[in-house]
Amino acid sequence: MRVKHVLCIATNTAVIGNFERTTGFFFPEIAHPFEVLEKAGIAVEFASPLGGIVPHDGYDGSDPVQKRFLESAAFRRLQSSRRLSEVDVLDYDAIFFPGGLGPMVDISKDRYVKQAVLRAWNGGKIVSAVCHGPVAFLGARFEDGTPFVKGRKLTSFSKAEEDGYAARDVDFDLEGVLREAGAEYTCVDPWQPHLIVDGRLITGQNPASGSIVGKAIVEALAKVD
């Protein structure tokens, strides 16, 4: 059986908003899915819009999963991430967008991110994201102009969660914009795990959903030849 490969596409943004809030990807949103994928024998590689260093936020050293990831060779590889424009997502079985506030700046607008989403989807690959990660889907449109998210069941960091966390730092309400683009959005109470699987599209609501997103990716990849 061949080794399956996931491309994790992370943010390069270290500061967000008028108040210059320090940010990046939210640490458990890579650490937790990564551990699930690694235990399943799935290889994970890393890319970002600019390549190179990927800033992070929300590290909790009391969480052994996060501590193991920080000390791992995978974390060192993450800090030498590949430039997304130089990567062909069809070389992977799945792509994954972690959250954090950073993606609201660069992942939300980067044209190579939008191309990656559509190329992976049209190539029959698994497309996945957690928390603010689904911002990657905004602006991705098929050749006929249809938004990628239109009619798709998904979740993301909710407005209720953002209102209590970073409403003053972000330029838009992710839940609201996804709904406006035609997504069939659902969420649960703030900070509770929530997973949506709609065919090859896998999304999780918040940091508490990282591990279950990882498990869903594993299950989906088990069906891939």
Side-chain angles (χ1 to χ4, degrees):
M1 182 180 296
R2 71 177 180 86
V3 174
K4 307 293 174 56
H5 290 75
V6 173
L7 182 66
C8 174
I9 304 171
T11 180
N12 295 114
T13 300
V15 177
I16 186 172
N18 294 330
F19 298 95
E20 297 187 343
R21 178 169 176 165
T22 300
T23 188
F25 77 88
F26 202 67
F27 204 89
E29 293 174 13
I30 293 183
H32 284 213
F34 175 82
E35 180 150 295
V36 172
L37 294 169
E38 184 180 49
K39 286 182 176 178
I42 295 166
V44 181
E45 295 182 9
F46 302 99
S48 61
L50 301 178
I53 294 173
V54 174
H56 62 83
D57 182 25
Y59 173 71
D60 180 359
S62 68
D63 177 358
V65 175
Q66 294 185 54
K67 188 172 186 295
R68 281 193 294 271
F69 183 66
L70 183 66
E71 296 170 351
S72 69
F75 181 77
R76 293 193 293 275
R77 293 197 307 274
L78 173 61
Q79 297 310 317
S80 300
S81 64
R82 299 179 65 189
R83 186 185 292 267
L84 182 58
S85 62
E86 299 173 355
V87 178
D88 188 348
V89 295
L90 296 186
D91 292 338
Y92 300 86
D93 300 287
I95 60 173
F96 168 64
F97 295 95
L101 294 178
M104 295 288 282
V105 177
D106 56 358
I107 300 296
S108 64
K109 294 177 284 193
D110 186 84
R111 68 187 180 100
Y112 293 106
V113 166
K114 313 310 164 184
Q115 290 174 12
V117 170
L118 295 175
R119 184 164 172 79
W121 187 262
N122 290 335
K125 308 299 183 179
I126 294 159
V127 175
S128 58
V130 69
C131 198
H132 289 91
V135 75
F137 308 150
L138 296 176
R141 294 178 175 271
F142 294 105
E143 288 187 2
D144 65 359
T146 302
F148 173 75
V149 300
K150 186 175 182 180
R152 303 197 189 283
K153 299 179 176 66
L154 54 74
T155 189
S156 75
F157 205 57
S158 68
K159 183 180 187 302
E161 288 167 322
E162 199 75 272
D163 285 347
Y165 178 66
R168 72 173 194 169
D169 300 300
V170 296
D171 290 336
F172 59 92
D173 160 33
L174 180 55
E175 174 187 336
V177 175
L178 287 168
R179 289 183 184 277
E180 289 171 7
E184 295 185 15
Y185 179 95
T186 61
C187 62
V188 295
D189 290 341
W191 310 108
Q192 299 303 305
H194 183 49
L195 172 74
I196 295 291
V197 178
D198 186 4
R200 291 182 285 112
L201 182 63
I202 298 171
T203 52
Q205 180 174 328
N206 48 35
S209 309
S211 291
I212 57 175
V213 167
K215 291 174 183 176
I217 296 171
V218 170
E219 291 174 2
L221 288 177
K223 303 172 184 176
V224 176
D225 293 332

